[in-house]
Amino acid sequence: MPEGASRRARVDAPVDGEWAAWWGAPVRLRLLTVVVAGAALAVCAGAGRGALPGDWKARLAAVVIAGLASVELGRLAEGGRIERQRLHKGLSTWPFAAALLLGPAPAGWVAAAVYGHAWVRGIRIRRWKWIGSWAIVVLAGLGASTAMRAATGALLPPTGSTSTMLGVVAALVVFLAVETVLFFGFSRVNTAEDEVHLRAALAGRGFYLLEAAVLTSGAIAAVVCRYSPAFLVFAGPAYALVQRGLLHQSLRDEARHDAKTGVLHSEAWRAGAPAVFAQAERAGRKVAVAIVDLDCFKAVNDTHGHLVGDEVLAGAADAVVGSLRRDDLAGRFGGDEFCALMVCDSLDEAAAVGDRIRCNIAGLRFACPELEATASVGVAVAHPADVGDVARLVEVADQALYDAKTAGRNLVRSRVVVPARRRPGGRASIGG
C-alpha cells in the first residue's frame, strides 16, 4: 500500500531494520498482509492460465515494456526522481490493461514487473508495504477480469460493441472497488499514526477520481494493444502528460503545507477559514480559534540543537491535529506557534479542545529522554456573524494566550469575542 507513515517526509524515508518495524507492526496488519500477498501469489501462479490467447506473449511483452517506460516517464516528470510522498504514480494502469487483455495471472506478472522496476528506480518505502500494494493490485486485476468475463463472456475482443464497452466499465468499477476495500482495510488494521496519509486520501473524492482516470488510461492502452501491440508506442506522449497530471495534487499539497510539520502554513490556513465559517453559519453554531505556543522553545534549540527542535515541532503538530476533528483546520503561524480553527457550540467545548491539545503535547516523548514539551493555549469563540472573518478571532485568541503565559504557562485561557458596536460619532468599539 502507499507509504502513509506520516505527513513528514523524514518518516517516509527508508529506515534501518525495516523488518524490525514489520515485527513491531500490529499482528492484525501482518496477518492481513500475509493473507493478501498469499492470495496474490496464488493468482499469479495459475488463475486464468488456461484461457490465455494465442498471441499472449506479444501482448504481455508490450504491456510490460509500456509499464516500465511509464515508470521512467514518471521519473522524468519529477525531475529524474520518484517522489515518495505522491500517492498516485499511475502504476495500476498496466496491471488493469493486462487484466482486460490477458486475465488475472498475467496481470499479476505485469504488476510484479512494474512495481519491481519502480522499486529499483527509486521508490524506497518499506518493502512489506510495497508488497502489500502489489498484492492489492493483483487481486483488483482478478476482480476486473472476472467482471469483464461476466459482462461479455470473454476478455477484450478485437472489435468493439456495446457489451464490450459495458464490460470495460464494469471491470474498471470492480478494480477500483477492490482497491478501495483492501486499502481501507489495511489503513484500519494499522495504527492511525502510520496511515495518516492513506486515511486522508481515502476520505477525499480526489483519490477516486484520479484512480478512475488512471484506470481509464489503462483501458485505452488495452484497446490499442488489442488492435496491435506496436501501436502502444503512440501512447508514450499521452502517458507523459498523465504523469505530469498526477503530480498536480502532490505539488498543490506541498505548496499549502508547512514542510517541517505537515500542517497548513498560515496563508493556506487563513484561506480555508471562510469554509469553516460557512459551515458554522449553516449549522447555527459558533467558531473558535485556538493559538498554541510551545513554552520556552528557544531553550530547546539552544540546549539540544535545531534538529531536536524540529522533532518537537513535528510532535506538537501531530498533537494538535490528533486533538481535532477531520473538518477542523490546523496550521502553523511560524516559529513555535500553531493555530486551530473549529466549529463548536460553546466556550467550554472549545476550551476543552484547547486543553486536550495542551495535554497531548505534554504527553509527547522524544528520543532524548530528559526532554519534555509543554504549551500554552489561548482560545477565542464567537458567532460567525459577529466577527466577519478569522482575523478578529485570532486577535482575541492571542490575548487569551497572553493570559495563559502570564499566569504561569502550560495553561489554557479562553475568551468570548464581544460583537462590534457603534459609539456615538460613528467610531466602532470592539469588546474582548
Side-chain angles (χ1 to χ4, degrees):
M1 73 231 51
E3 176 76 1
S6 171
R7 293 174 299 278
R8 301 183 301 279
R10 64 182 179 85
V11 179
D12 270 343
V15 295
D16 293 333
E18 65 175 60
W19 291 111
W22 158 254
W23 288 112
V27 174
R28 58 187 182 273
L29 172 66
R30 287 184 277 147
L31 180 61
L32 180 59
T33 302
V34 170
V35 169
V36 172
L41 287 172
V43 170
C44 293
R49 180 176 292 175
L52 293 176
D55 62 344
W56 69 272
K57 291 182 181 179
R59 296 189 204 177
L60 179 64
V63 174
V64 168
I65 292 171
L68 302 186
S70 73
V71 173
E72 298 305 317
L73 288 172
R75 284 172 55 83
L76 289 175
E78 297 190 36
R81 60 191 176 92
I82 294 180
E83 175 57 58
R84 290 184 297 270
Q85 289 280 50
R86 179 157 62 98
L87 182 62
H88 281 286
K89 300 175 181 67
L91 301 185
S92 55
T93 299
W94 307 105
F96 180 62
L100 297 180
L101 284 167
L102 301 167
W109 305 339
V110 170
V114 173
Y115 273 68
H117 185 66
W119 172 269
V120 171
R121 296 296 282 163
I123 294 181
R124 287 293 186 268
I125 67 174
R126 290 174 180 143
R127 289 187 185 89
W128 51 274
K129 287 200 169 191
W130 201 230
I131 291 170
S133 183
W134 163 79
I136 288 173
V137 169
V138 173
L139 296 182
L142 173 63
S145 293
T146 302
M148 186 72 190
R149 290 184 187 277
T152 65
L155 294 177
L156 195 66
T159 57
S161 66
T162 301
S163 63
T164 300
M165 178 66 180
L166 294 176
V168 171
V169 171
L172 189 153
V173 171
V174 170
F175 192 104
L176 182 56
V178 173
E179 274 190 316
T180 300
V181 169
L182 290 176
F183 278 130
F184 182 84
F186 273 103
S187 74
R188 293 298 161 175
V189 299
N190 199 3
T191 61
E193 182 184 16
D194 199 35
E195 296 295 357
V196 169
H197 188 53
L198 180 56
R199 289 189 182 191
L202 292 173
R205 65 178 182 177
F207 170 84
Y208 308 99
L209 293 174
L210 191 52
E211 183 67 1
V214 167
L215 296 177
T216 299
S217 69
I220 294 172
V223 171
V224 171
C225 187
R226 186 66 180 90
Y227 178 73
S228 174
F231 274 77
L232 276 179
V233 69
F234 292 107
Y239 199 78
L241 292 177
V242 170
Q243 286 288 347
R244 293 185 67 86
L246 292 173
L247 284 170
H248 172 75
Q249 185 63 45
S250 59
L251 293 175
R252 180 174 176 270
D253 288 343
E254 184 177 331
R256 298 178 66 241
H257 290 81
D258 174 64
K260 285 186 179 180
T261 63
V263 298
L264 296 171
H265 58 61
S266 59
E267 292 83 2
W269 184 83
R270 291 178 188 274
V276 179
F277 271 63
Q279 176 190 351
E281 285 193 290
R282 288 193 301 268
R285 304 177 70 192
K286 298 177 181 179
V287 287
V289 162
I291 304 296
V292 182
D293 188 84
L294 296 177
D295 297 324
C296 304
F297 181 69
K298 184 178 184 299
V300 174
N301 282 333
D302 292 344
T303 304
H304 301 281
H306 286 83
L307 291 179
V308 174
D310 288 348
E311 181 185 357
V312 174
L313 288 173
D318 284 348
V320 172
V321 173
S323 304
L324 303 176
R325 296 161 300 194
R326 193 183 73 185
D327 292 335
D328 298 334
L329 288 185
R332 183 185 180 198
F333 266 10
D336 58 343
E337 199 168 70
F338 298 90
C339 48
L341 176 63
M342 67 198 89
V343 175
C344 64
D345 292 315
S346 66
L347 180 65
D348 288 342
E349 179 186 347
V353 174
D355 195 56
R356 186 160 64 243
I357 293 172
R358 182 192 66 81
C359 292
N360 287 343
I361 290 176
L364 292 172
R365 294 297 176 263
F366 305 99
C368 184
E370 68 272 15
L371 179 61
E372 295 181 351
T374 63
S376 301
V377 183
V379 177
V381 177
H383 288 284
D386 290 342
V387 290
D389 59 37
V390 76
R392 177 58 181 158
L393 271 173
V394 170
E395 178 185 346
V396 176
D398 261 331
Q399 295 168 2
L401 175 63
Y402 178 78
D403 294 341
K405 290 285 190 182
T406 56
R409 298 190 178 93
N410 194 22
L411 296 170
V412 177
R413 291 293 182 264
S414 55
R415 293 189 178 196
V416 175
V417 181
V418 179
R421 58 185 182 276
R422 290 285 172 183
R423 293 176 177 169
R427 293 182 61 190
S429 173
I430 306 289

